[in-house]
Amino acid sequence: MLLLRGARAASAASTVVAAGASAGRSTSIRLTVIAALSSGGRRRKGQRRGEAKPPSPPPPPPQPLPRHGETPSSKKKPGARPSVETKKNRLSELEEARGPRRPEGGEARKGGTQQQQQQQEKAKTKRAVRWKCASGCGACCKLDKGPDFPTPDEIFADHPDDLQLYRSMTGDDGWCINYDKATRTCNIYQDRPSFCRVEPKVFDEFFGVPRNRFDREACSACLDNIKMVYGDDSAELSNFKRVIREESNKLEASKNQDKLLDT
């Protein structure tokens, strides 16, 4: 009986020990599960069950505050390239140190070309012009010139006798009664009135044109008359331009010759 009781006691003790061991294992499993849940849920790759979470990296050290008057963008890293503004400032400093540069190459040629153009324009504006009557024209003998020209009353406002004579010479067709259309000549050319004479004195008296502008104004008046009577593409207009060009070239040549003699 004692042996049986001892065996039973031993078996009971072993059962208790086994139960205690199993209870310890279940407790450790539960603690492992709780630790896993409390460490953030899922395990990371390569982390074993029950292993603690690796420590997070330390935070970066605090950056120093910018100095007074300094912006974060103005502080550059060592070895960085200079900005565009810095380059411009350096170039301006170099140009100031060098002083004004002389035009070279294309700039010199460009400046010379501009000067030549200006000289040519001045020469054109100062080009001598001389008026001369072109034979076979007779455009000025058309006394009734139409609304685009000054009226006789406006021209002879201070010369009533000339106004009366002008009207008496105007025919029904607007042409002068002394003009021969067949030959395009004046029948009273030698005795023609003063207002029919293209002279500086007449232009000054009737139109207020000074002597130094007589030739240009006379040429302009003839051009207007010829265009009105014969047209812009007429042979009379081409002939008049040719005559004026020849006379102007002669005058220009004589002036150049006088300059050479003076020098």
Side-chain angles (χ1 to χ4, degrees):
M1 289 293 292
L2 291 175
L3 293 175
L4 183 60
R5 288 181 181 177
R8 289 180 181 177
S11 62
S14 61
T15 302
V16 171
V17 171
S22 61
R25 284 197 301 271
S26 62
T27 302
S28 63
I29 292 172
R30 289 179 183 178
L31 291 175
T32 303
V33 173
I34 293 172
L37 291 176
S38 63
S39 63
R42 293 183 180 181
R43 296 188 304 272
R44 294 189 178 184
K45 188 175 180 181
Q47 180 183 357
R48 297 180 181 180
R49 183 183 298 273
E51 186 177 357
K53 183 179 178 181
S56 58
Q63 297 293 334
L65 295 176
R67 299 178 181 177
H68 180 69
E70 181 183 9
T71 59
S73 59
S74 62
K75 190 174 182 180
K76 297 181 179 180
K77 298 179 180 180
R81 296 182 179 180
S83 62
V84 178
E85 295 180 356
T86 306
K87 291 182 179 179
K88 289 182 178 180
N89 294 334
R90 291 178 181 176
L91 290 175
S92 61
E93 291 175 358
L94 288 174
E95 290 179 357
E96 290 177 358
R98 292 175 183 175
R101 61 176 183 175
R102 298 178 180 177
E104 298 178 358
E107 294 182 359
R109 290 193 296 271
K110 186 177 180 181
T113 304
Q114 291 179 354
Q115 291 179 359
Q116 291 177 359
Q117 291 178 355
Q118 292 176 358
Q119 291 177 358
Q120 291 176 0
E121 291 177 357
K122 290 181 179 179
K124 288 182 180 179
T125 55
K126 294 182 179 180
R127 183 180 178 84
V129 176
R130 175 179 285 176
W131 175 87
K132 184 180 180 181
C133 182
S135 60
C137 177
C140 58
C141 296
K142 180 71 180 294
L143 302 183
D144 187 5
K145 302 181 185 303
D148 294 336
F149 292 81
T151 62
D153 295 333
E154 294 174 351
I155 297 173
F156 303 105
D158 299 332
H159 305 83
D161 296 338
D162 292 324
L163 175 61
Q164 185 178 356
L165 178 60
Y166 189 91
R167 286 178 175 174
S168 65
M169 294 171 56
T170 306
D172 296 336
D173 57 355
W175 287 85
C176 178
I177 59 177
N178 300 304
Y179 176 68
D180 188 353
K181 296 180 181 178
T183 60
R184 292 191 177 185
T185 56
C186 178
N187 296 328
I188 60 169
Y189 187 79
Q190 299 298 329
D191 299 328
R192 67 190 185 277
S194 61
F195 54 76
C196 291
R197 301 176 185 271
V198 184
E199 298 174 355
K201 181 180 178 181
V202 176
F203 270 61
D204 188 10
E205 183 178 358
F206 289 100
F207 304 106
V209 177
R211 177 66 184 85
N212 59 346
R213 293 190 58 82
F214 161 73
D215 288 284
R216 291 185 180 276
E217 293 296 333
C219 292
S220 178
C222 286
L223 287 172
D224 293 339
N225 278 279
I226 295 171
K227 290 179 181 179
M228 184 267 296
V229 176
Y230 300 112
D232 296 342
D233 299 328
S234 60
E236 291 81 1
L237 183 61
S238 299
N239 183 47
F240 176 74
K241 289 181 178 180
R242 179 186 60 81
V243 172
I244 297 303
R245 191 182 305 112
E246 292 176 355
E247 291 297 317
S248 300
N249 290 337
K250 291 178 182 179
L251 179 61
E252 190 72 24
S254 64
K255 286 186 175 181
N256 293 334
Q257 186 176 3
D258 293 340
K259 289 180 181 179
L260 290 174
L261 293 174
D262 293 339
T263 56

